[in-house]
PDB file of all heavy atoms in Angstrom:
ATOM      1  N   LYS A 125      -6.546   4.843 -14.207  1.00  0.00           N
ATOM      2  CA  LYS A 125      -6.817   4.291 -12.882  1.00  0.00           C
ATOM      3  C   LYS A 125      -8.259   3.800 -12.858  1.00  0.00           C
ATOM      4  O   LYS A 125      -9.117   4.336 -13.543  1.00  0.00           O
ATOM      5  CB  LYS A 125      -6.598   5.357 -11.817  1.00  0.00           C
ATOM      6  CG  LYS A 125      -5.141   5.696 -11.609  1.00  0.00           C
ATOM      7  CD  LYS A 125      -4.429   4.545 -10.968  1.00  0.00           C
ATOM      8  CE  LYS A 125      -3.022   4.865 -10.612  1.00  0.00           C
ATOM      9  NZ  LYS A 125      -2.685   4.732  -9.217  1.00  0.00           N
ATOM     10  N   LEU A 140      -1.527  12.602  -6.399  1.00  0.00           N
ATOM     11  CA  LEU A 140      -0.793  11.782  -7.363  1.00  0.00           C
ATOM     12  C   LEU A 140      -1.409  10.403  -7.608  1.00  0.00           C
ATOM     13  O   LEU A 140      -1.422   9.908  -8.742  1.00  0.00           O
ATOM     14  CB  LEU A 140       0.632  11.611  -6.851  1.00  0.00           C
ATOM     15  CG  LEU A 140       1.718  11.402  -7.902  1.00  0.00           C
ATOM     16  CD1 LEU A 140       1.702  12.521  -8.914  1.00  0.00           C
ATOM     17  CD2 LEU A 140       3.077  11.334  -7.223  1.00  0.00           C
ATOM     18  N   LEU A 141      -1.961   9.798  -6.575  1.00  0.00           N
ATOM     19  CA  LEU A 141      -2.479   8.441  -6.711  1.00  0.00           C
ATOM     20  C   LEU A 141      -3.692   8.381  -7.651  1.00  0.00           C
ATOM     21  O   LEU A 141      -3.881   7.425  -8.376  1.00  0.00           O
ATOM     22  CB  LEU A 141      -2.887   7.918  -5.318  1.00  0.00           C
ATOM     23  CG  LEU A 141      -3.047   6.439  -5.116  1.00  0.00           C
ATOM     24  CD1 LEU A 141      -1.746   5.706  -5.312  1.00  0.00           C
ATOM     25  CD2 LEU A 141      -3.576   6.158  -3.709  1.00  0.00           C
ATOM     26  N   HIS A 148      -1.147  14.526 -13.542  1.00  0.00           N
ATOM     27  CA  HIS A 148      -0.293  13.488 -12.939  1.00  0.00           C
ATOM     28  C   HIS A 148       1.162  13.742 -13.277  1.00  0.00           C
ATOM     29  O   HIS A 148       2.036  13.722 -12.412  1.00  0.00           O
ATOM     30  CB  HIS A 148      -0.743  12.087 -13.381  1.00  0.00           C
ATOM     31  CG  HIS A 148       0.208  11.026 -12.936  1.00  0.00           C
ATOM     32  ND1 HIS A 148       1.125  10.460 -13.777  1.00  0.00           N
ATOM     33  CD2 HIS A 148       0.401  10.482 -11.710  1.00  0.00           C
ATOM     34  CE1 HIS A 148       1.856   9.597 -13.073  1.00  0.00           C
ATOM     35  NE2 HIS A 148       1.425   9.580 -11.840  1.00  0.00           N
ATOM     36  N   ARG A 152       3.973  14.703 -10.526  1.00  0.00           N
ATOM     37  CA  ARG A 152       5.000  13.689 -10.282  1.00  0.00           C
ATOM     38  C   ARG A 152       6.394  14.372 -10.329  1.00  0.00           C
ATOM     39  O   ARG A 152       7.267  14.090  -9.511  1.00  0.00           O
ATOM     40  CB  ARG A 152       4.883  12.565 -11.318  1.00  0.00           C
ATOM     41  CG  ARG A 152       5.866  11.474 -11.150  1.00  0.00           C
ATOM     42  CD  ARG A 152       5.233  10.122 -10.887  1.00  0.00           C
ATOM     43  NE  ARG A 152       6.285   9.194 -10.518  1.00  0.00           N
ATOM     44  CZ  ARG A 152       6.130   8.030  -9.992  1.00  0.00           C
ATOM     45  NH1 ARG A 152       4.946   7.563  -9.738  1.00  0.00           N
ATOM     46  NH2 ARG A 152       7.153   7.259  -9.687  1.00  0.00           N
ATOM     47  N   MET A 206       7.174  14.131   6.576  1.00  0.00           N
ATOM     48  CA  MET A 206       6.366  14.813   5.557  1.00  0.00           C
ATOM     49  C   MET A 206       5.967  16.197   6.003  1.00  0.00           C
ATOM     50  O   MET A 206       5.925  17.127   5.213  1.00  0.00           O
ATOM     51  CB  MET A 206       5.115  13.980   5.233  1.00  0.00           C
ATOM     52  CG  MET A 206       5.512  12.692   4.544  1.00  0.00           C
ATOM     53  SD  MET A 206       4.095  11.828   3.937  1.00  0.00           S
ATOM     54  CE  MET A 206       4.796  10.208   3.771  1.00  0.00           C
ATOM     55  N   GLY A 309       1.350   6.369   2.130  1.00  0.00           N
ATOM     56  CA  GLY A 309       2.666   6.143   2.695  1.00  0.00           C
ATOM     57  C   GLY A 309       2.711   5.426   4.034  1.00  0.00           C
ATOM     58  O   GLY A 309       3.668   4.692   4.295  1.00  0.00           O
ATOM     59  N   THR A 312       0.660   1.324   4.256  1.00  0.00           N
ATOM     60  CA  THR A 312       1.345   0.310   3.461  1.00  0.00           C
ATOM     61  C   THR A 312       2.614  -0.183   4.164  1.00  0.00           C
ATOM     62  O   THR A 312       2.834  -1.388   4.309  1.00  0.00           O
ATOM     63  CB  THR A 312       1.765   0.905   2.088  1.00  0.00           C
ATOM     64  OG1 THR A 312       2.235   2.240   2.314  1.00  0.00           O
ATOM     65  CG2 THR A 312       0.627   0.917   1.112  1.00  0.00           C
ATOM     66  N   ARG A 374      -7.078  -1.029 -12.766  1.00  0.00           N
ATOM     67  CA  ARG A 374      -7.034  -0.158 -13.945  1.00  0.00           C
ATOM     68  C   ARG A 374      -8.363  -0.239 -14.663  1.00  0.00           C
ATOM     69  O   ARG A 374      -9.136  -1.205 -14.438  1.00  0.00           O
ATOM     70  CB  ARG A 374      -5.933  -0.588 -14.932  1.00  0.00           C
ATOM     71  CG  ARG A 374      -4.518  -0.361 -14.481  1.00  0.00           C
ATOM     72  CD  ARG A 374      -4.166   1.115 -14.447  1.00  0.00           C
ATOM     73  NE  ARG A 374      -2.754   1.317 -14.129  1.00  0.00           N
ATOM     74  CZ  ARG A 374      -2.267   1.450 -12.905  1.00  0.00           C
ATOM     75  NH1 ARG A 374      -3.093   1.397 -11.859  1.00  0.00           N
ATOM     76  NH2 ARG A 374      -0.985   1.655 -12.686  1.00  0.00           N
ATOM     77  N   PRO A 433       5.605  -5.429  -5.755  1.00  0.00           N
ATOM     78  CA  PRO A 433       4.916  -4.840  -4.600  1.00  0.00           C
ATOM     79  C   PRO A 433       4.673  -3.346  -4.788  1.00  0.00           C
ATOM     80  O   PRO A 433       3.749  -2.802  -4.185  1.00  0.00           O
ATOM     81  CB  PRO A 433       5.899  -5.084  -3.448  1.00  0.00           C
ATOM     82  CG  PRO A 433       7.220  -5.220  -4.075  1.00  0.00           C
ATOM     83  CD  PRO A 433       6.988  -5.850  -5.403  1.00  0.00           C
ATOM     84  N   PHE A 434       5.481  -2.702  -5.620  1.00  0.00           N
ATOM     85  CA  PHE A 434       5.327  -1.259  -5.838  1.00  0.00           C
ATOM     86  C   PHE A 434       4.709  -0.931  -7.195  1.00  0.00           C
ATOM     87  O   PHE A 434       4.761   0.206  -7.649  1.00  0.00           O
ATOM     88  CB  PHE A 434       6.680  -0.557  -5.687  1.00  0.00           C
ATOM     89  CG  PHE A 434       7.253  -0.668  -4.295  1.00  0.00           C
ATOM     90  CD1 PHE A 434       8.380  -1.454  -4.045  1.00  0.00           C
ATOM     91  CD2 PHE A 434       6.673  -0.014  -3.225  1.00  0.00           C
ATOM     92  CE1 PHE A 434       8.902  -1.578  -2.762  1.00  0.00           C
ATOM     93  CE2 PHE A 434       7.178  -0.115  -1.942  1.00  0.00           C
ATOM     94  CZ  PHE A 434       8.309  -0.889  -1.705  1.00  0.00           C
ATOM     95  N   ARG A 439       3.206   4.723 -13.272  1.00  0.00           N
ATOM     96  CA  ARG A 439       2.505   4.923 -12.005  1.00  0.00           C
ATOM     97  C   ARG A 439       3.160   4.154 -10.872  1.00  0.00           C
ATOM     98  O   ARG A 439       2.559   3.990  -9.792  1.00  0.00           O
ATOM     99  CB  ARG A 439       1.034   4.494 -12.117  1.00  0.00           C
ATOM    100  CG  ARG A 439       0.235   5.074 -13.256  1.00  0.00           C
ATOM    101  CD  ARG A 439       0.134   6.581 -13.228  1.00  0.00           C
ATOM    102  NE  ARG A 439      -0.466   7.145 -12.060  1.00  0.00           N
ATOM    103  CZ  ARG A 439      -1.557   7.904 -12.053  1.00  0.00           C
ATOM    104  NH1 ARG A 439      -2.214   8.133 -13.175  1.00  0.00           N
ATOM    105  NH2 ARG A 439      -1.995   8.466 -10.943  1.00  0.00           N
ATOM    106  N   CYS A 441       5.155   3.188  -7.630  1.00  0.00           N
ATOM    107  CA  CYS A 441       5.151   3.923  -6.347  1.00  0.00           C
ATOM    108  C   CYS A 441       6.290   4.933  -6.284  1.00  0.00           C
ATOM    109  O   CYS A 441       7.466   4.579  -6.410  1.00  0.00           O
ATOM    110  CB  CYS A 441       5.303   2.921  -5.191  1.00  0.00           C
ATOM    111  SG  CYS A 441       5.343   3.723  -3.594  1.00  0.00           S
TER     112      CYS A 441
HETATM  113  C1  HEM B  71       5.635  -0.847   1.619  1.00  0.00           C
HETATM  114  C2  HEM B  71       5.142   0.312   1.330  1.00  0.00           C
HETATM  115  C3  HEM B  71       4.425   0.679   0.049  1.00  0.00           C
HETATM  116  C4  HEM B  71       3.845  -0.101  -0.895  1.00  0.00           C
HETATM  117  C5  HEM B  71       3.712  -1.616  -0.883  1.00  0.00           C
HETATM  118  C6  HEM B  71       3.332   0.782  -1.940  1.00  0.00           C
HETATM  119  C7  HEM B  71       2.710   0.339  -3.079  1.00  0.00           C
HETATM  120  C8  HEM B  71       2.314   1.162  -4.125  1.00  0.00           C
HETATM  121  C9  HEM B  71       1.804   0.712  -5.389  1.00  0.00           C
HETATM  122  C10 HEM B  71       1.585  -0.740  -5.800  1.00  0.00           C
HETATM  123  C11 HEM B  71       1.558   1.809  -6.147  1.00  0.00           C
HETATM  124  C12 HEM B  71       1.049   1.811  -7.596  1.00  0.00           C
HETATM  125  C13 HEM B  71      -0.443   1.907  -7.654  1.00  0.00           C
HETATM  126  C14 HEM B  71      -0.953   1.848  -9.069  1.00  0.00           C
HETATM  127  O1  HEM B  71      -0.213   1.639 -10.015  1.00  0.00           O
HETATM  128  O2  HEM B  71      -2.180   1.997  -9.230  1.00  0.00           O
HETATM  129  C15 HEM B  71       1.890   2.969  -5.345  1.00  0.00           C
HETATM  130  C16 HEM B  71       1.732   4.266  -5.759  1.00  0.00           C
HETATM  131  C17 HEM B  71       2.003   5.345  -4.960  1.00  0.00           C
HETATM  132  N1  HEM B  71       2.601   5.336  -3.729  1.00  0.00           N
HETATM  133 FE1  HEM B  71       3.220   3.711  -2.716  1.00  0.00          FE
HETATM  134  N2  HEM B  71       3.629   2.065  -1.589  1.00  0.00           N
HETATM  135  C18 HEM B  71       4.299   2.063  -0.414  1.00  0.00           C
HETATM  136  C19 HEM B  71       4.798   3.155   0.260  1.00  0.00           C
HETATM  137  C20 HEM B  71       4.637   4.455  -0.131  1.00  0.00           C
HETATM  138  C21 HEM B  71       5.173   5.602   0.557  1.00  0.00           C
HETATM  139  C22 HEM B  71       6.065   5.540   1.808  1.00  0.00           C
HETATM  140  C23 HEM B  71       4.719   6.712  -0.101  1.00  0.00           C
HETATM  141  C24 HEM B  71       4.983   8.165   0.163  1.00  0.00           C
HETATM  142  C25 HEM B  71       5.756   8.630   1.081  1.00  0.00           C
HETATM  143  C26 HEM B  71       3.924   6.245  -1.218  1.00  0.00           C
HETATM  144  C27 HEM B  71       3.286   7.061  -2.120  1.00  0.00           C
HETATM  145  C28 HEM B  71       2.706   6.631  -3.290  1.00  0.00           C
HETATM  146  C29 HEM B  71       2.133   7.537  -4.283  1.00  0.00           C
HETATM  147  C30 HEM B  71       2.026   9.045  -4.173  1.00  0.00           C
HETATM  148  C31 HEM B  71       1.696   6.705  -5.344  1.00  0.00           C
HETATM  149  C32 HEM B  71       1.062   7.185  -6.642  1.00  0.00           C
HETATM  150  C33 HEM B  71       2.153   7.326  -7.677  1.00  0.00           C
HETATM  151  C34 HEM B  71       1.652   7.714  -9.067  1.00  0.00           C
HETATM  152  O3  HEM B  71       0.536   7.325  -9.445  1.00  0.00           O
HETATM  153  O4  HEM B  71       2.412   8.387  -9.753  1.00  0.00           O
HETATM  154  N3  HEM B  71       3.902   4.882  -1.211  1.00  0.00           N
HETATM  155  N4  HEM B  71       2.372   2.552  -4.137  1.00  0.00           N
END
Side-chain angles (χ1 to χ4, degrees):
K125 289 291 186 122
L140 208 55
L141 199 64
H148 172 258
R152 182 118 190 167
M206 294 189 200
T312 41
R374 289 291 185 271
F434 296 110
R439 308 299 301 239
C441 179

